[in-house]
Amino acid sequence: MSWGRAFVALARRDLTIAFRRRSEMANPLLFFVMVVTLFPLGVGPEPKLLANMAPGVVWVAALLAALLSLDGIFRPDFEDGTLEQLVLSAHPVPLLVLAKVCAHWLITGLPLLLVAPLLALFLGLPEGAMGALMASLLLGTPVLSLVGAIGVALTVGLRKGGMILSLLVLPLYVPVLIFGASAVDAASMSLPIAAQMYILGAFLALAASLTPVATAAALKISLS
Amino acid sequence: MWRWVHKYGSPPVFYRISGRLLPWLWGLFAILLGWGLYGALISSPPDYQQGESVRIVYIHVPAAWNSMFIYVAMAVSGLIALVWRIKVAEIVLIASAPIGAMFTFLALVTGSLWGKPMWGAWWVWDARLTSELILLFLYLGVIALHGAIEDRRTAARAVSILALVGVVNIPIIHFSVEWWNTLHQPATITKFEKPSMHIDMLVPLLVMALAFKLFYVNTLLMRARGELLERERDVKWVKELAS
Amino acid sequence: MNLAGEGLECTRDDRVLFTGLDFSVDSGGALLVEGRNGTGKTTLLRMICGIRRPDAGELRYDGECIFSLGSDYHTHMAYVGHMDGIKRELTAEENLRVADALGRPGRMSIAAALERVRLAGFEDVQANKFSAGQRRRLALARLLVSKAELWVLDEPFTSLDRHGVKLVEELMAEHIAEGGMLAVTSHHDVDLGAADVLRLDLSA
């Protein structure tokens, strides 16, 4: 089936474009680091307090960084007309949406994972929790991209789309935040994290199968 | 059956029938509210532990039930609007959102008022209140998205998708918040203990719940009628009404 | 092949733009949509593309409603709208390769398509270095790469000089001669030669 070819071609296209504008890739990362840095400045540098807050703070910062980068999934395509071409493709739109979201995650989500240990260090997160942090971000950040894509698709045609996007998407992010932060928290107290991981995995499976359809429908509505 | 749907889903018929039903529905609401309030404030007993302040449950719980019910109603009319493109369904969807938001807000405020004498704080991160707060954001999102899109039919379709996505997420959010709550509050019970439901309390509660549902239906019909007139202002049946 | 519309209606911002619109176009035929700005020309084309649903009426391709055909319909058509639909960060060739993968390729090779729109030699040039006219021609090259029978063109002559306009007219005429179909809007007077042209004036 040429579906596979279309999927790969589209993902490759987005990755190529991101690579050619690679200075922009650093923005969500810098934001991530800066937000985490603000917390000690705000609540004081007491190590025990910071270590306690660390799981939640890192997760909230990751969430905000993901939110910030969401616009890039569809807005540039909307502005140069390639989004229309996507919806008019001979291949099913949900498949193409999935390709774009995968590429987007590789560009914006995966780097967060790579920087997370540094931030855990800033906040004094115990070593034992590092693995849980990476694992929870690995499972959770793709869900953020997948669910966020629906919000972007709904607001891409709007002038002030960015502001509404946060309002639409943040309530939907709450479950991922709860279980992601909880996993890291539990790990830092040497408690088991299997339940949280399974649930995050379930979220990912659910999001990967359902959100592309909703996103595709939303795109067609925004473009009409 | 489709002819029936298209007949009653047609704007002029909807307008006419809702106009005839409304006075009766308001009358019924007044009766139910009176009965419910009598039961809530006078005939039902105060709680053993919580005293008189438990009476707020007669507003808080029906309001919370309504906030959920209206969201589901919104999602269902959104689905109908999306699949069958029936104008009245679009209008029901739009008109319900502010009413649902209002009930959610009411649930939050009454929850807060209930909490103050109990826990001494105006806000606690109880599972139900937290879920209601997130539900309020979901409602505000629907209202904001609809306001931001200029073309009304496109706006209705976009909001339908949002409502459907929201309705799927609500159980997930509810489950997550419950789990979060049990995790962080093991010993002290900040969960609002629903007083054990004696029949003397259950009846006024259900009556109030029914009264609130009726309030929703009535205000929905009134708003929908107004919206219909505005949308179809250039269409014949509206012009005939005006003359 | 046949593209037909029956009883089409379009409402925007509570205003009815057009209603009861009928048309039928066969192979070798062209639909030329005319009318002042704001009469719904672009909207009608977007309906034909399947991006926008008509508020009433039906659009049929070979007798079947295009919305039930879904992305199958899109294998038969190609669209060039107001915006170019090309990525500035990619080279001309990369752009066409993506269009290839997204559509139904096979009509012309990428090299041949670029040559036809007089962009030969620009394969490895990033589109952000092109002029507006060159970008438009690249967008039109998309049509040549795909095997779509129906071309939907919204103001294809924008940003083009006299030579560019002539090129587009040639491409359209060739497409019709090969048995394709066209749906075009334009402010300019379009010379489609011997084609079977159905003029639809939305201002009326």
Side-chain angles (χ1 to χ4, degrees), chain A residues 30-42 57 119 122-123:
Chain A
L30 289 175
F31 179 77
F32 188 30
V33 175
M34 280 187 352
V35 167
V36 170
T37 317
L38 290 177
F39 276 87
L41 292 171
V57 167
L119 300 179
F122 279 171
L123 296 175

Side-chain angles (χ1 to χ4, degrees), chain A residues 5-6 9 13 16-17 20-21 76-82 84-85 87-91 96 220 223-224, chain C residues 46 49 51-52 71 74-75 77 79 83-87 89-91 94 98 100-103 105 126 142:
Chain A
R5 193 167 152 252
R13 182 197 83 173
T16 311
I17 294 173
R20 291 191 187 160
R21 309 181 73 141
D77 290 356
F78 176 77
E79 286 170 354
D80 61 21
T82 43
E84 296 180 324
Q85 293 300 318
V87 168
L88 292 175
S89 161
H91 304 283
L96 301 177
K220 290 183 196 157
L223 286 170
S224 67
Chain C
R46 290 173 89 81
C49 283
I51 287 181
R52 191 192 168 99
S71 40
H74 295 139
T75 59
M77 57 145 279
Y79 174 68
M83 292 175 290
D84 299 319
I86 60 178
K87 280 287 176 201
E89 298 89 350
L90 298 179
T91 67
E94 285 169 342
V98 174
D100 216 48
L102 289 182
Q126 281 191 353
R142 254 204 332 264

Side-chain angles (χ1 to χ4, degrees), chain A residues 210-221:
Chain A
L210 295 182
T211 61
V213 177
T215 309
L219 282 177
K220 290 183 196 157
I221 292 174

Side-chain angles (χ1 to χ4, degrees), chain C residues 1-199:
Chain C
M1 274 172 309
N2 172 272
L3 176 74
E6 196 183 294
L8 295 174
E9 180 181 309
C10 167
T11 314
R12 200 167 51 206
D13 296 334
D14 299 340
R15 230 172 15 116
V16 177
L17 290 178
F18 54 79
T19 182
L21 200 63
D22 297 314
F23 69 84
S24 178
V25 183
D26 295 299
S27 304
L31 178 70
L32 183 58
V33 184
E34 301 167 318
R36 291 187 314 272
N37 279 336
T39 46
K41 301 196 299 293
T42 300
T43 315
L44 177 60
L45 281 197
R46 290 173 89 81
M47 284 185 187
I48 292 176
C49 283
I51 287 181
R52 191 192 168 99
R53 298 193 76 135
D55 292 300
E58 262 203 354
L59 270 162
R60 290 194 211 99
Y61 185 77
D62 282 346
E64 287 218 52
C65 176
I66 62 178
F67 292 103
S68 43
L69 286 172
S71 40
D72 277 339
Y73 173 61
H74 295 139
T75 59
H76 297 288
M77 57 145 279
Y79 174 68
V80 175
H82 283 292
M83 292 175 290
D84 299 319
I86 60 178
K87 280 287 176 201
R88 308 257 174 126
E89 298 89 350
L90 298 179
T91 67
E93 187 180 344
E94 285 169 342
N95 266 298
L96 288 183
R97 258 196 270 133
V98 174
D100 216 48
L102 289 182
R104 192 173 128 225
R107 189 156 167 265
M108 248 189 230
S109 71
I110 291 178
L114 284 174
E115 166 135 21
R116 186 73 185 83
V117 297
R118 296 203 311 267
L119 283 175
F122 284 92
E123 289 89 353
D124 293 319
V125 179
Q126 281 191 353
N128 54 16
K129 302 206 173 62
F130 283 14
S131 68
Q134 285 172 317
R135 278 199 294 274
R136 190 112 277 247
R137 280 187 274 143
L138 181 58
L140 293 165
R142 254 204 332 264
L143 297 169
L144 299 176
V145 167
S146 110
K147 248 204 202 151
E149 292 99 349
L150 170 65
W151 285 5
V152 184
L153 307 174
D154 198 354
E155 310 280 352
F157 302 111
T158 23
S159 316
L160 292 176
D161 58 13
R162 213 165 20 98
H163 297 291
V165 169
K166 199 151 166 294
L167 172 68
V168 177
E169 286 179 340
E170 280 171 23
L171 292 176
M172 293 201 292
E174 280 165 23
H175 183 69
I176 297 261
E178 286 167 12
M181 291 191 287
L182 277 182
V184 188
T185 67
S186 179
H187 285 303
H188 298 219
D189 211 7
V190 181
D191 176 18
L192 289 169
D196 185 12
V197 180
L198 174 64
R199 300 185 107 94

Side-chain angles (χ1 to χ4, degrees), chain A residues 91-168:
Chain A
H91 304 283
V93 183
L95 180 79
L96 301 177
V97 164
L98 200 57
K100 282 195 66 77
V101 174
C102 282
H104 179 260
W105 179 75
L106 287 172
I107 300 164
T108 61
L110 192 58
L112 293 183
L113 245 95
L114 303 175
V115 174
L118 177 69
L119 300 179
L121 187 75
F122 279 171
L123 296 175
L125 192 70
E127 305 256 314
M130 211 67 83
L133 180 61
M134 305 287 277
S136 63
L137 284 175
L138 183 66
L139 287 176
T141 46
V143 179
L144 299 183
S145 291
L146 285 163
V147 172
I150 307 180
V152 186
L154 286 171
T155 55
V156 75
L158 306 177
R159 255 167 290 127
K160 298 267 188 64
M163 298 202 282
I164 298 191
L165 181 61
S166 318
L167 178 59
L168 297 186

